[in-house]
Amino acid sequence: MIRGVACPLAFLVVAGTLASAPLSAQTSPPALEPAPAGTRATTASADPRVGLKAGLADAGVAARNLELLANVPKPAGFFDPSAPAGQPNPKVTEDSEKKKEEEEAKPGATPATPPWGGLNFANSDLAFSGTHLFVGNFNGFNIYDISNPSQPTLVTSVACPGGQGDVSVHGTLLFMSVEQTRGRLDCGTGGVEDPVSKDRFRGVRIFDISDVRTPRQVAAVQTCRGSHTHTLVTDPADSSHVFIYGSGTSPTRSGDELAGCSAAEPKDNPETALFSIDVIEVPLAAPQTARIVSRPRIFADEKTGAIAGLWKGGDHGPGTQKTSATNQCHDLTVFPAVGLAAGACSGNGILLDISNPVAPKRIDDVSDANFAYWHSATFNNDGTKVVFTDEWGGGMRPRCQATDQATWGANAIFDIVDRKLKFASYYKLPAPQTAQENCVAHNGSLVPVPGRDLMVQAWYQGGISVMDFTDSAHPKEVAFFDRGPLDATQIITGGYWSAYWYNGFVYGSEMSRGLDVFRFTPSDLLTQNELAAAALIKAPTFNVQRQDRVAWPADPLVARAYVDQLARSGVLSPNRARALGAALSAPSGGNVGSLATDLEADAAAASKVDAARLTALAMVLRKLPTSGG
C-alpha cells in the first residue's frame, strides 16, 4: 500500500528571544491547548521551545508537564575530552547529497554512515532490570543504580568499542549490538586495520551480568552485516531459550572474513546476506553456545517467492520522498502476548506473525510516499495500533525546521484491523527547530496510563515529546522537554537517542549530555490520578523492542483515572463525577455497585473510546473490595 502525497507545507517563524535557563532550571511555558499533529508554532511567543540559547551544559531549557530531576554527564572514556559535545557535522552540499544517495543505493548500504568521530562516543539505547539502568554507547555501555531515580549512581563502565551499542537484558545476560568495522572480539580499543581479520567482531555480544560490577563477555555471535539493532524474543512455550532478532544495516563483510557472507543480488546468489534478518538462539543454561539458527526471508514476494519482493528504492512520483530500498530491517518490535511483531524495514513497514519465533512470517506490509526510512515501531497496549517512525536524513540532519513538511520525518500511526495495517494519521514534533539541531522522529515507549495510548518519544535535538494517540486519527502533544542546540553556529550531532518510561519515571539517553531523569507533573491534560495509576505498574525488566501487555489492578487510583478521562471528554456530568468520587472515598463503598450498572448502560451510547473507558471503570468498581461484590 502506498500512501498519498501531502502538499508541501511552509511555515513562518517570527524571530525572537526567550529567557534561557541553566541545565538544572526550566522555563515555565504559558498554558497551551494540546498541539494537533502536523502543525508548527508561528510566533516565538506561541511555543517556548523556539529561540532557546545554545550550549552544552548551559543551554536554554523549556518544559511542559515534565520536570527534570537529574542530569548525569557521561563518564570518562565515553566522550572525547577535546570535543565533549561531539564533532561538527560535515557541511551538506549538493555534491555530498548526490554522493550519499549513490552510496545508499548500493546493496547493503546503511542509509547514513556518518564519518565524523563524535558519534564514536555517543550514548545510544537503554535497557532496564530491577533497580539498574543499562546505557548503551558507541564505545561500550554504562550501568547505573536507579534505586533513587533522582540520584542515579554509576556502578561500572565497560569500554567495548564497535557501535552502535544498543543493549537489552534478560536475567543475568546482557546483549549488545556491534556493527562498526573497528569492533574487536576481545573488546580492545585499538580497532582493526586489516580489511580481513580474524580479530574483527560485528554481530551480537553476550555478557554475563550476574555481578553488575564486573560484567564479562561469554559469547560473540558473528553476523554478515553486523548488528545495528537487535530484539529480544521470548517463546511462551519455551522458557529455556531466548531468541535474538538481529537487524544488520551496514555493508556486508567479506566471505573471506566470515564464511557464507555475500552482498550479491538474489539472482546472482540466492544465499545473499541481504533481504533477511538473523535469528540467534541463546540457551539460557549455556549462553556461550548461542548461534544463528535461521535467516528468514521476510521480504520475499508472497506470490513468486522472489527474495527482493518489497520496495525497490527511489521516490514515489513527483514531490514525494526518496524512500530507501527494503533489503533490511532497522528495528523489529515484538509483542509475544499477541503473537505479532512490527518491523520498520527501511522502505516498508511490515507486520509479522511470530507464533514460531524461529520462523517469523510476514502477514502485511505498507509503504508510504512521505517516508524516507522506516526506523522503529511501537504497539499500543492492546496490540490494535502501531506507531512507525521515519528517520528522514539518517538522524544527523535538521529535519524539524519551520520549512520542512510536517509529514516528513514524522510518526505514522496505523490501526491493526484483521491483522492488517490501516493508516490513521501522522504526528510531527509541533515546535520548529533550528538549522543547528539534528532533529527527526526517534525512539520512544508507552506511558501506561489506563484508558489512553500515550507515548514518550525522543526527537534528537528536538527534545522529548509526549504524544496521545488514543484517537489514532487525531494525535496530540501533552508534554515536552527541550534544550537549545549544542552550538549556535554549526550542527553537532546530539540530543535524545531514546526516551522511555520505566516504573514511574522517564529516562532520556542524551547522546552528548549524558543521562537525564524526569517525572511528569500533573495538568489538565494528564492528571495526578492518571499518573498515580500509571505508577502502579512496576516492571521487573524493560527492553523497548519487546513489549509486554500491561494489566492494571482493581484499584481506586485506576478508577479515578478513568473518572478524570470521562470528565475531560464531557461524558460524565459534574454531579456523576462527584458521586463517583464520593463512592470511591467511602469506607463502605457507598453506592459503587449501582454506579457501575449506570456506567455500563451509558456505554451503549458513547463513542468507542469512551465506551471502553466506561466499561473498564465499571469493571474496576465491581472488583473493589468495598463494592460488596
Side-chain angles (χ1 to χ4, degrees), residues 556-572:
L557 288 174
V558 176
R560 291 190 178 100
Y562 286 127
V563 170
D564 286 354
Q565 293 162 13
L566 292 164
R568 185 187 297 123
S569 64
V571 171
L572 288 184

Side-chain angles (χ1 to χ4, degrees), residues 21 100 105 275 282 298 398 516 604:
K100 184 187 81 70
F275 306 104
V282 184
I298 57 176
D516 285 338

Side-chain angles (χ1 to χ4, degrees), residues 122-322:
N123 275 349
S124 57
D125 219 354
L126 306 174
F128 304 80
S129 180
T131 58
H132 289 104
L133 167 61
F134 304 83
V135 182
N137 185 286
F138 278 62
N139 202 47
F141 61 92
N142 292 286
I143 304 176
Y144 292 88
D145 183 332
I146 54 170
S147 53
N148 180 354
S150 64
Q151 295 182 334
T153 57
L154 182 66
V155 175
T156 193
S157 297
V158 176
C160 189
Q164 164 164 318
D166 284 6
V167 291
S168 63
V169 291
H170 183 85
T172 60
L173 297 179
L174 178 143
F175 306 91
M176 183 172 72
S177 288
V178 181
E179 70 169 348
Q180 294 176 332
T181 57
R182 66 178 174 136
R184 297 180 57 90
L185 272 170
D186 60 4
C187 280
T189 60
V192 183
E193 294 184 3
D194 296 337
V196 174
S197 174
K198 62 180 177 58
D199 297 322
R200 178 173 288 113
F201 177 73
R202 296 172 63 202
V204 176
R205 299 188 192 273
I206 304 176
F207 289 85
D208 182 327
I209 54 168
S210 52
D211 181 352
V212 294
R213 296 166 298 180
T214 57
R216 58 188 183 87
Q217 183 173 281
V218 295
V221 182
Q222 297 272 21
T223 65
C224 290
R225 301 183 69 180
S227 175
H228 191 69
T229 67
H230 69 267
T231 303
L232 178 71
V233 187
T234 55
D235 183 353
D238 180 8
S239 60
S240 65
H241 295 76
V242 295
F243 298 91
I244 300 296
Y245 288 172
S247 299
T249 66
S250 56
T252 304
R253 68 206 301 179
S254 165
D256 294 333
E257 184 171 271
L258 185 62
C261 293
S262 167
E265 292 294 333
K267 63 182 176 60
D268 299 320
N269 184 353
E271 299 303 314
T272 176
L274 309 182
F275 306 104
S276 64
I277 61 173
D278 299 310
V279 178
I280 300 170
E281 180 184 62
V282 184
L284 295 178
Q288 68 277 8
T289 64
R291 62 191 180 94
I292 295 175
V293 292
S294 68
R295 288 169 58 188
R297 301 295 192 181
I298 57 176
F299 309 127
D301 185 87
E302 292 179 301
K303 294 181 179 179
T304 67
I307 294 175
L310 295 181
W311 184 249
K312 303 298 191 294
D315 64 36
H316 304 259
T320 64
Q321 277 276 37
K322 291 182 179 178

